[in-house]
Amino acid sequence: MNTRAWIVFLDESGISLLPHIRRTYAPPGRTPLLRHRLNWKRASMAGALGYHSTDPDRGARLCFHLKPGSYDTTALIEVLEQIKVFYRGEPVVLVWDGLSAHWSRAMRAWVAEQAWLTLERLPAYAPELNPVELLWSSLKKRELANLAGDHLADVADATEQGIHRINHNPQLPWSFLTHTGLTIHPTHPPNLRKNQ
């Protein structure tokens, strides 16, 4: 593994017109009602959260992709091509789960031609090790909570607002990594160093 590379965690999730039901507040005696269209239209989102292995001053970097439908190998290769541009061709060690599209023959053949990219697999049944899972949780607890959009574009807009919120808080992406229990050397990113 390249020791002077971006360590990038990637994960996919879905959004739909069915709202993420969350507890909320209401005046006493007035139960909140959530009215929505019973519609199964879905879109998929991919998030790539990267940390530089030797230079935490470069900050955590978040790359986001949204598309109608679901991801297959071809769509994921398009995402990886965007990640290459996003990281300007610098070495990337990509860490993701065992989804079949991640390890398909076509994906492995494409990756074999990419000098900038190394793949690592997360252990099976260990989503708690992927900081992008915490990103999805943050979005679904805030921007997408109880959102009953009329159109999928409403949900997509709220999702992108959440990505902007996370990108504008430099400590939040680092907190996602810290919560997993994983560390990247050096162990203290600049915004989490203890004052001495």
Side-chain angles (χ1 to χ4, degrees):
M1 175 173 15
N2 189 331
T3 58
R4 290 181 165 274
W6 286 92
I7 310 300
V8 178
F9 294 86
L10 190 139
D11 192 46
E12 304 86 12
S13 188
I15 56 173
S16 74
L17 289 178
L18 296 177
H20 294 275
I21 308 299
R22 294 290 181 260
R23 181 178 292 178
T24 188
Y25 295 97
R30 298 175 69 189
T31 303
L33 296 176
L34 189 58
R35 299 183 193 281
H36 65 89
R37 300 171 188 256
L38 187 59
N39 190 314
W40 294 97
K41 285 187 179 176
R42 293 185 55 84
S44 295
M45 51 188 177
L49 190 51
Y51 312 87
H52 199 273
S53 60
T54 59
D55 188 0
D57 291 326
R58 296 180 77 178
R61 299 193 65 200
L62 174 59
C63 182
F64 178 73
H65 186 267
L66 184 66
K67 73 175 287 302
S70 58
Y71 285 103
D72 58 10
T73 298
T74 303
L76 285 171
I77 287 173
E78 290 174 13
V79 171
L80 293 178
E81 287 172 342
Q82 289 182 7
I83 289 173
K84 180 180 181 180
V85 172
F86 186 74
Y87 286 100
R88 299 183 178 117
E90 291 185 66
V92 167
V93 176
L94 187 77
V95 183
W96 58 7
D97 59 28
L99 184 72
S100 60
H102 293 173
W103 301 99
S104 68
R105 182 176 294 160
M107 178 64 75
R108 285 181 283 144
W110 182 83
V111 169
E113 298 174 359
Q114 309 301 312
W116 63 278
L117 182 62
T118 303
L119 295 183
E120 294 291 336
R121 185 175 179 161
L122 284 166
Y125 309 107
E128 69 278 2
L129 295 179
N130 192 335
V132 182
E133 294 283 354
L134 296 160
L135 180 145
W136 301 145
S137 177
S138 179
L139 289 175
K140 291 174 182 180
K141 288 179 181 173
R142 295 226 8 212
E143 285 78 12
L144 300 179
N146 301 320
L147 176 63
D150 290 327
H151 305 283
L152 202 51
D154 300 332
V155 182
D157 289 345
T159 302
E160 289 183 1
Q161 288 172 7
I163 293 297
H164 290 300
R165 170 183 58 87
I166 291 165
N167 262 334
H168 284 90
N169 181 342
Q171 290 186 340
L172 200 50
W174 284 109
S175 72
F176 296 156
L177 178 67
T178 302
H179 189 76
T180 66
L182 301 173
T183 57
I184 293 176
H185 181 77
T187 57
H188 297 290
N191 53 1
L192 295 180
R193 287 187 182 132
K194 295 179 182 176
N195 294 330
Q196 295 182 349

